[in-house]
Amino acid sequence: MLIKNISTLLGKELDYISETNIQIQNGKFKQIQPNIKPNVKEEFIDCQGLLLIPGFINAHTHIGDSIGKDVTLDSSVDKKIHPVFGAKSKILKNTPPENLTDFMKNTCHSMIRKGITTFVDFREGGLDGVLLLKKTLSEIPIRSIILGRVDFYQNPTEIKKNLPISKEKSKELPLILQKCDGIGISGANENSNSVLNHYSKTSKIRAIHSSETKQSVSRSKKMTGKSETIRALSLKPHFLVHMTHASKNDLHVAAKKIRGIVICPRANSSLAEGIPDITLMQNAGCTLALGTDNVMINSPDMFREMDYIWKVTMGIHKKRINPKDILKMSTVNGGKILKKDIGIIETGKIADCIFLNKHALDLEPMHDPYASIVHRASESTIKAVMIGGKIVHGKL
């Protein structure tokens, strides 16, 4: 396929190119330059008036709870989403698999229409949970990275005694990892150092929630004398999720040991838990990506996520932030943290991308493409979505 006369955001810095041609072969960007001539029988499309941007990477989701939208709105964080006794856990356990599948499918289709080409899911439910999600995705073209987990959680006494994972659950772990892309751990406050060290020896992607609430930070120090983030690093994670209440020191330590942090600002706000300090995180040297978190409390919409964190951060700190930095969190940075050839328009990378209509009512005139995408674009401005070189939504 040859895409002609299109504007694009190119490379790691999302450099704006007003007009170029892009050749796509075998699901990847083969050539990106003006005046490319189509090969014999090669399909070519004139995309004058469109802007091509990298597909969004929703770097943290829990789509299994799509059936529980907006339940327990007035409850505490633990009562809503605690992995053992929270309402979410009870809903997932008591809902027939076929019902969960229907609503997970709805969420996946919603993400595609909103330009999300890859999502990273923390999947509960052990091996059965992973297999159910894989079955759900079997006929949906969205790219997924599934991080499973063993349904094993320890109480404070077990953590203080540093008890290991049970033999039964230890045997389950490799079976789960055979079927998914890595592990997504609930948090350090549900696992002893011995268990986290056990998980750290796995070879696939490792990630963990950390310092999401003031209560969780306080609980870790009271229980172990160490910060929640320092304990989470015992997992040797490739990335941490949330870090909303991590200290400056925690962030500096984390920046040296992990690939990055996935923040979920709208979810944190929905839980009345505050806003991640992206300036503090960036100053510590952390690479940041964005996620929409639980579908139970938040819609899977990266346009809303970018708009929210951009404006709220400037409102709180009274300091301008380049919207390009926010757009990177939804695209380039996600690919960087995951070490995948996604989230970027560059020769040799996977052709996951969004075609935006520059003449859409909400975008024209587009004086600053980064600002326009971050706080004016929406599902309605998308002309088409491509995943792996194939149009999966809309048409050109």
Side-chain angles (χ1 to χ4, degrees), residues 29 35 99 116 130 140 151 241 271 355 377:
F29 299 111
N35 304 318
N99 288 3
I116 295 169
V130 169
I140 303 174
D151 272 341
V241 179
L271 294 168
F355 296 79

Short mmCIF file of all heavy atoms in Angstrom, two decimals, residues 29 35 99 116 130 140 151 241 271 355 377:
data_model
loop_
_atom_site.label_atom_id
_atom_site.label_comp_id
_atom_site.label_asym_id
_atom_site.label_seq_id
_atom_site.Cartn_x
_atom_site.Cartn_y
_atom_site.Cartn_z
N PHE A 29 6.11 -0.05 8.10
CA PHE A 29 6.46 1.11 7.28
C PHE A 29 7.74 0.78 6.52
O PHE A 29 8.80 0.60 7.12
CB PHE A 29 6.68 2.35 8.15
CG PHE A 29 5.47 2.77 8.94
CD1 PHE A 29 5.44 2.65 10.33
CD2 PHE A 29 4.34 3.26 8.30
CE1 PHE A 29 4.34 3.04 11.06
CE2 PHE A 29 3.22 3.66 9.02
CZ PHE A 29 3.22 3.54 10.41
N ASN A 35 7.67 11.59 -3.16
CA ASN A 35 7.89 11.10 -4.53
C ASN A 35 8.15 9.60 -4.64
O ASN A 35 8.85 9.16 -5.55
CB ASN A 35 9.05 11.87 -5.19
CG ASN A 35 8.82 13.37 -5.17
OD1 ASN A 35 7.71 13.83 -5.43
ND2 ASN A 35 9.86 14.11 -4.84
N ASN A 99 -20.72 -13.57 29.96
CA ASN A 99 -21.10 -12.16 30.16
C ASN A 99 -19.87 -11.26 30.20
O ASN A 99 -19.86 -10.16 29.64
CB ASN A 99 -21.91 -12.01 31.44
CG ASN A 99 -23.31 -12.57 31.33
OD1 ASN A 99 -23.66 -13.14 30.30
ND2 ASN A 99 -24.11 -12.45 32.38
N ILE A 116 -6.96 3.52 19.77
CA ILE A 116 -6.07 2.70 20.59
C ILE A 116 -5.75 1.44 19.80
O ILE A 116 -6.64 0.63 19.52
CB ILE A 116 -6.70 2.36 21.95
CG1 ILE A 116 -6.90 3.64 22.77
CG2 ILE A 116 -5.84 1.36 22.72
CD1 ILE A 116 -7.76 3.46 24.01
N VAL A 130 -6.64 -15.38 31.95
CA VAL A 130 -5.83 -15.12 30.75
C VAL A 130 -6.47 -15.77 29.53
O VAL A 130 -6.60 -15.15 28.47
CB VAL A 130 -4.39 -15.63 30.95
CG1 VAL A 130 -3.63 -15.62 29.63
CG2 VAL A 130 -3.66 -14.79 31.99
N ILE A 140 -10.86 -10.09 17.28
CA ILE A 140 -10.79 -8.63 17.34
C ILE A 140 -9.37 -8.21 16.96
O ILE A 140 -8.40 -8.73 17.53
CB ILE A 140 -11.15 -8.10 18.73
CG1 ILE A 140 -12.56 -8.57 19.13
CG2 ILE A 140 -11.09 -6.57 18.77
CD1 ILE A 140 -12.96 -8.22 20.54
N ASP A 151 -3.48 -15.95 41.37
CA ASP A 151 -4.39 -15.44 42.40
C ASP A 151 -3.86 -15.83 43.77
O ASP A 151 -4.30 -16.81 44.40
CB ASP A 151 -5.80 -15.98 42.19
CG ASP A 151 -6.62 -15.11 41.26
OD1 ASP A 151 -6.25 -13.93 41.07
OD2 ASP A 151 -7.62 -15.59 40.70
N VAL A 241 3.30 1.10 37.78
CA VAL A 241 2.03 1.73 37.44
C VAL A 241 1.58 2.64 38.58
O VAL A 241 1.64 2.25 39.75
CB VAL A 241 0.95 0.68 37.14
CG1 VAL A 241 -0.38 1.36 36.80
CG2 VAL A 241 1.38 -0.24 36.00
N LEU A 271 -10.98 8.05 41.77
CA LEU A 271 -10.90 7.42 43.09
C LEU A 271 -10.63 8.43 44.20
O LEU A 271 -10.42 8.04 45.35
CB LEU A 271 -9.81 6.35 43.08
CG LEU A 271 -10.07 5.14 42.17
CD1 LEU A 271 -8.81 4.31 42.02
CD2 LEU A 271 -11.21 4.29 42.70
N PHE A 355 -5.50 7.87 11.23
CA PHE A 355 -5.67 8.89 10.20
C PHE A 355 -6.68 9.92 10.72
O PHE A 355 -7.85 9.61 10.90
CB PHE A 355 -6.20 8.27 8.90
CG PHE A 355 -5.26 7.29 8.25
CD1 PHE A 355 -5.16 5.98 8.71
CD2 PHE A 355 -4.49 7.66 7.15
CE1 PHE A 355 -4.30 5.07 8.11
CE2 PHE A 355 -3.63 6.76 6.53
CZ PHE A 355 -3.54 5.46 7.02
N ALA A 377 -8.90 16.93 19.47
CA ALA A 377 -9.27 15.74 18.70
C ALA A 377 -10.11 14.79 19.55
O ALA A 377 -10.07 14.82 20.78
CB ALA A 377 -8.02 15.03 18.19
#
